[in-house]
Amino acid sequence: MNLKRFFGGLLTILGIVGLIYTAVIFAGTSGETRDVKSLIIYGILGIVFFMSGISLVRTTKDEA
């Protein structure tokens, strides 16, 4: 099993979880400063993890 591909998949899953958590916080927010900060932090981390995971999976060659 290719370790880079596994790590890329793990990053992708973490990114998806972060983006879903951001959506849950957004749905239940009342507009306070703390809510906006957590939206920004979790959203940016989710996007970074998701994009880096997808990029790592795409650029890794399959080796048999």
Side-chain angles (χ1 to χ4, degrees):
M1 183 172 179
N2 199 345
L3 189 61
K4 283 186 183 179
R5 218 173 245 279
F6 173 75
F7 189 63
L10 182 67
L11 282 175
T12 304
I13 290 171
L14 283 174
I16 290 171
V17 168
L19 291 173
I20 289 173
Y21 188 64
T22 303
V24 168
I25 291 175
F26 180 73
T29 188
S30 61
E32 296 177 8
T33 304
R34 192 186 85 189
D35 294 335
V36 173
K37 285 181 183 178
S38 64
L39 277 172
I40 292 171
I41 290 169
Y42 292 128
I44 289 174
L45 283 176
I47 289 172
V48 167
F49 282 4
F50 182 74
M51 294 306 234
S52 63
I54 291 293
S55 174
L56 194 59
V57 169
R58 283 182 49 199
T59 58
T60 304
K61 303 272 192 240
D62 280 332
E63 295 176 5

mmCIF file of all heavy atoms in Angstrom, residues 22-48:
data_model
loop_
_atom_site.group_PDB
_atom_site.id
_atom_site.type_symbol
_atom_site.label_atom_id
_atom_site.label_comp_id
_atom_site.label_asym_id
_atom_site.label_seq_id
_atom_site.Cartn_x
_atom_site.Cartn_y
_atom_site.Cartn_z
ATOM 1 N N THR A 22 -17.816 23.182 9.679
ATOM 2 C CA THR A 22 -18.012 24.607 9.413
ATOM 3 C C THR A 22 -19.456 24.892 9.020
ATOM 4 O O THR A 22 -20.044 25.877 9.467
ATOM 5 C CB THR A 22 -17.068 25.077 8.288
ATOM 6 O OG1 THR A 22 -15.727 24.795 8.668
ATOM 7 C CG2 THR A 22 -17.224 26.558 8.017
ATOM 8 N N ALA A 23 -20.027 24.026 8.204
ATOM 9 C CA ALA A 23 -21.432 24.200 7.799
ATOM 10 C C ALA A 23 -22.370 24.063 8.993
ATOM 11 O O ALA A 23 -23.358 24.803 9.100
ATOM 12 C CB ALA A 23 -21.784 23.185 6.720
ATOM 13 N N VAL A 24 -22.080 23.140 9.893
ATOM 14 C CA VAL A 24 -22.917 22.960 11.086
ATOM 15 C C VAL A 24 -22.842 24.197 11.980
ATOM 16 O O VAL A 24 -23.859 24.672 12.491
ATOM 17 C CB VAL A 24 -22.490 21.686 11.859
ATOM 18 C CG1 VAL A 24 -23.129 21.624 13.226
ATOM 19 C CG2 VAL A 24 -22.822 20.448 11.052
ATOM 20 N N ILE A 25 -21.627 24.730 12.156
ATOM 21 C CA ILE A 25 -21.476 25.947 12.960
ATOM 22 C C ILE A 25 -22.195 27.109 12.280
ATOM 23 O O ILE A 25 -22.865 27.910 12.938
ATOM 24 C CB ILE A 25 -19.989 26.285 13.169
ATOM 25 C CG1 ILE A 25 -19.335 25.258 14.077
ATOM 26 C CG2 ILE A 25 -19.832 27.667 13.780
ATOM 27 C CD1 ILE A 25 -17.842 25.452 14.222
ATOM 28 N N PHE A 26 -22.087 27.196 10.964
ATOM 29 C CA PHE A 26 -22.744 28.278 10.229
ATOM 30 C C PHE A 26 -24.259 28.212 10.369
ATOM 31 O O PHE A 26 -24.922 29.237 10.498
ATOM 32 C CB PHE A 26 -22.352 28.223 8.755
ATOM 33 C CG PHE A 26 -22.975 29.301 7.924
ATOM 34 C CD1 PHE A 26 -22.541 30.605 8.032
ATOM 35 C CD2 PHE A 26 -24.004 29.016 7.036
ATOM 36 C CE1 PHE A 26 -23.112 31.609 7.272
ATOM 37 C CE2 PHE A 26 -24.576 30.005 6.272
ATOM 38 C CZ PHE A 26 -24.131 31.313 6.397
ATOM 39 N N ALA A 27 -24.812 27.005 10.381
ATOM 40 C CA ALA A 27 -26.261 26.852 10.488
ATOM 41 C C ALA A 27 -26.760 27.251 11.873
ATOM 42 O O ALA A 27 -27.898 27.727 12.004
ATOM 43 C CB ALA A 27 -26.647 25.412 10.198
ATOM 44 N N GLY A 28 -25.935 27.084 12.892
ATOM 45 C CA GLY A 28 -26.380 27.391 14.243
ATOM 46 C C GLY A 28 -25.809 28.658 14.822
ATOM 47 O O GLY A 28 -25.881 28.874 16.024
ATOM 48 N N THR A 29 -25.248 29.501 13.991
ATOM 49 C CA THR A 29 -24.595 30.704 14.503
ATOM 50 C C THR A 29 -25.592 31.836 14.718
ATOM 51 O O THR A 29 -26.631 31.909 14.078
ATOM 52 C CB THR A 29 -23.479 31.166 13.548
ATOM 53 O OG1 THR A 29 -22.766 32.212 14.177
ATOM 54 C CG2 THR A 29 -24.021 31.662 12.240
ATOM 55 N N SER A 30 -25.225 32.701 15.667
ATOM 56 C CA SER A 30 -26.053 33.873 15.935
ATOM 57 C C SER A 30 -25.344 35.159 15.533
ATOM 58 O O SER A 30 -25.859 36.245 15.757
ATOM 59 C CB SER A 30 -26.425 33.917 17.418
ATOM 60 O OG SER A 30 -25.261 34.010 18.200
ATOM 61 N N GLY A 31 -24.161 35.031 14.973
ATOM 62 C CA GLY A 31 -23.436 36.199 14.481
ATOM 63 C C GLY A 31 -22.480 36.816 15.476
ATOM 64 O O GLY A 31 -22.006 37.926 15.276
ATOM 65 N N GLU A 32 -22.180 36.121 16.560
ATOM 66 C CA GLU A 32 -21.235 36.653 17.540
ATOM 67 C C GLU A 32 -19.813 36.572 16.999
ATOM 68 O O GLU A 32 -19.517 35.832 16.073
ATOM 69 C CB GLU A 32 -21.338 35.859 18.839
ATOM 70 C CG GLU A 32 -22.683 35.980 19.504
ATOM 71 C CD GLU A 32 -22.782 35.125 20.755
ATOM 72 O OE1 GLU A 32 -21.767 34.560 21.179
ATOM 73 O OE2 GLU A 32 -23.893 35.025 21.282
ATOM 74 N N THR A 33 -18.914 37.338 17.597
ATOM 75 C CA THR A 33 -17.525 37.380 17.138
ATOM 76 C C THR A 33 -16.864 36.016 17.249
ATOM 77 O O THR A 33 -16.120 35.605 16.367
ATOM 78 C CB THR A 33 -16.729 38.407 17.970
ATOM 79 O OG1 THR A 33 -17.385 39.673 17.881
ATOM 80 C CG2 THR A 33 -15.315 38.532 17.470
ATOM 81 N N ARG A 34 -17.127 35.299 18.332
ATOM 82 C CA ARG A 34 -16.527 33.979 18.524
ATOM 83 C C ARG A 34 -16.981 33.004 17.437
ATOM 84 O O ARG A 34 -16.209 32.187 16.959
ATOM 85 C CB ARG A 34 -16.909 33.432 19.903
ATOM 86 C CG ARG A 34 -16.108 32.219 20.286
ATOM 87 C CD ARG A 34 -16.591 31.634 21.558
ATOM 88 N NE ARG A 34 -17.698 30.754 21.218
ATOM 89 C CZ ARG A 34 -18.491 30.182 22.079
ATOM 90 N NH1 ARG A 34 -18.357 30.412 23.342
ATOM 91 N NH2 ARG A 34 -19.447 29.392 21.690
ATOM 92 N N ASP A 35 -18.255 33.102 17.040
ATOM 93 C CA ASP A 35 -18.774 32.233 15.990
ATOM 94 C C ASP A 35 -18.107 32.517 14.650
ATOM 95 O O ASP A 35 -17.771 31.601 13.910
ATOM 96 C CB ASP A 35 -20.288 32.404 15.842
ATOM 97 C CG ASP A 35 -21.049 31.921 17.063
ATOM 98 O OD1 ASP A 35 -20.516 31.054 17.784
ATOM 99 O OD2 ASP A 35 -22.165 32.410 17.285
ATOM 100 N N VAL A 36 -17.898 33.770 14.342
ATOM 101 C CA VAL A 36 -17.276 34.143 13.073
ATOM 102 C C VAL A 36 -15.827 33.675 13.032
ATOM 103 O O VAL A 36 -15.353 33.154 12.014
ATOM 104 C CB VAL A 36 -17.374 35.675 12.856
ATOM 105 C CG1 VAL A 36 -16.590 36.089 11.630
ATOM 106 C CG2 VAL A 36 -18.825 36.096 12.734
ATOM 107 N N LYS A 37 -15.118 33.814 14.156
ATOM 108 C CA LYS A 37 -13.725 33.359 14.212
ATOM 109 C C LYS A 37 -13.634 31.854 14.010
ATOM 110 O O LYS A 37 -12.776 31.373 13.266
ATOM 111 C CB LYS A 37 -13.090 33.727 15.549
ATOM 112 C CG LYS A 37 -12.735 35.180 15.690
ATOM 113 C CD LYS A 37 -12.080 35.436 17.034
ATOM 114 C CE LYS A 37 -11.787 36.893 17.234
ATOM 115 N NZ LYS A 37 -11.193 37.159 18.559
ATOM 116 N N SER A 38 -14.510 31.094 14.648
ATOM 117 C CA SER A 38 -14.464 29.643 14.485
ATOM 118 C C SER A 38 -14.860 29.244 13.067
ATOM 119 O O SER A 38 -14.301 28.288 12.525
ATOM 120 C CB SER A 38 -15.352 28.949 15.519
ATOM 121 O OG SER A 38 -16.699 29.292 15.339
ATOM 122 N N LEU A 39 -15.795 29.952 12.459
ATOM 123 C CA LEU A 39 -16.150 29.687 11.061
ATOM 124 C C LEU A 39 -14.943 29.873 10.152
ATOM 125 O O LEU A 39 -14.670 29.030 9.289
ATOM 126 C CB LEU A 39 -17.269 30.622 10.601
ATOM 127 C CG LEU A 39 -18.685 30.239 10.937
ATOM 128 C CD1 LEU A 39 -19.633 31.372 10.581
ATOM 129 C CD2 LEU A 39 -19.080 28.988 10.222
ATOM 130 N N ILE A 40 -14.228 30.948 10.339
ATOM 131 C CA ILE A 40 -13.071 31.234 9.491
ATOM 132 C C ILE A 40 -11.968 30.204 9.712
ATOM 133 O O ILE A 40 -11.402 29.664 8.753
ATOM 134 C CB ILE A 40 -12.555 32.666 9.757
ATOM 135 C CG1 ILE A 40 -13.576 33.682 9.258
ATOM 136 C CG2 ILE A 40 -11.208 32.892 9.098
ATOM 137 C CD1 ILE A 40 -13.287 35.114 9.658
ATOM 138 N N ILE A 41 -11.678 29.893 10.973
ATOM 139 C CA ILE A 41 -10.588 28.956 11.276
ATOM 140 C C ILE A 41 -10.895 27.573 10.732
ATOM 141 O O ILE A 41 -10.084 26.973 10.018
ATOM 142 C CB ILE A 41 -10.329 28.912 12.791
ATOM 143 C CG1 ILE A 41 -9.715 30.224 13.257
ATOM 144 C CG2 ILE A 41 -9.429 27.744 13.150
ATOM 145 C CD1 ILE A 41 -9.661 30.384 14.751
ATOM 146 N N TYR A 42 -12.066 27.023 11.061
ATOM 147 C CA TYR A 42 -12.399 25.674 10.601
ATOM 148 C C TYR A 42 -12.588 25.619 9.091
ATOM 149 O O TYR A 42 -12.255 24.627 8.451
ATOM 150 C CB TYR A 42 -13.646 25.146 11.307
ATOM 151 C CG TYR A 42 -13.426 24.878 12.771
ATOM 152 C CD1 TYR A 42 -14.281 25.406 13.731
ATOM 153 C CD2 TYR A 42 -12.357 24.111 13.203
ATOM 154 C CE1 TYR A 42 -14.087 25.160 15.070
ATOM 155 C CE2 TYR A 42 -12.150 23.863 14.543
ATOM 156 C CZ TYR A 42 -13.018 24.388 15.472
ATOM 157 O OH TYR A 42 -12.819 24.147 16.797
ATOM 158 N N GLY A 43 -13.115 26.676 8.514
ATOM 159 C CA GLY A 43 -13.290 26.707 7.068
ATOM 160 C C GLY A 43 -11.964 26.706 6.321
ATOM 161 O O GLY A 43 -11.771 25.953 5.365
ATOM 162 N N ILE A 44 -11.040 27.531 6.766
ATOM 163 C CA ILE A 44 -9.725 27.592 6.107
ATOM 164 C C ILE A 44 -8.968 26.282 6.291
ATOM 165 O O ILE A 44 -8.375 25.753 5.336
ATOM 166 C CB ILE A 44 -8.912 28.792 6.633
ATOM 167 C CG1 ILE A 44 -9.520 30.089 6.111
ATOM 168 C CG2 ILE A 44 -7.452 28.687 6.225
ATOM 169 C CD1 ILE A 44 -8.893 31.346 6.667
ATOM 170 N N LEU A 45 -8.979 25.731 7.509
ATOM 171 C CA LEU A 45 -8.308 24.450 7.731
ATOM 172 C C LEU A 45 -8.934 23.331 6.906
ATOM 173 O O LEU A 45 -8.231 22.486 6.349
ATOM 174 C CB LEU A 45 -8.342 24.078 9.213
ATOM 175 C CG LEU A 45 -7.364 24.812 10.109
ATOM 176 C CD1 LEU A 45 -7.576 24.423 11.557
ATOM 177 C CD2 LEU A 45 -5.942 24.534 9.690
ATOM 178 N N GLY A 46 -10.248 23.323 6.806
ATOM 179 C CA GLY A 46 -10.929 22.307 5.994
ATOM 180 C C GLY A 46 -10.548 22.414 4.528
ATOM 181 O O GLY A 46 -10.279 21.404 3.875
ATOM 182 N N ILE A 47 -10.511 23.630 4.007
ATOM 183 C CA ILE A 47 -10.152 23.817 2.598
ATOM 184 C C ILE A 47 -8.700 23.425 2.350
ATOM 185 O O ILE A 47 -8.389 22.755 1.355
ATOM 186 C CB ILE A 47 -10.407 25.286 2.175
ATOM 187 C CG1 ILE A 47 -11.902 25.548 2.097
ATOM 188 C CG2 ILE A 47 -9.747 25.596 0.847
ATOM 189 C CD1 ILE A 47 -12.273 26.997 1.885
ATOM 190 N N VAL A 48 -7.802 23.812 3.255
ATOM 191 C CA VAL A 48 -6.383 23.476 3.083
ATOM 192 C C VAL A 48 -6.172 21.971 3.123
ATOM 193 O O VAL A 48 -5.486 21.395 2.274
ATOM 194 C CB VAL A 48 -5.518 24.188 4.159
ATOM 195 C CG1 VAL A 48 -4.117 23.623 4.206
ATOM 196 C CG2 VAL A 48 -5.476 25.677 3.894
#
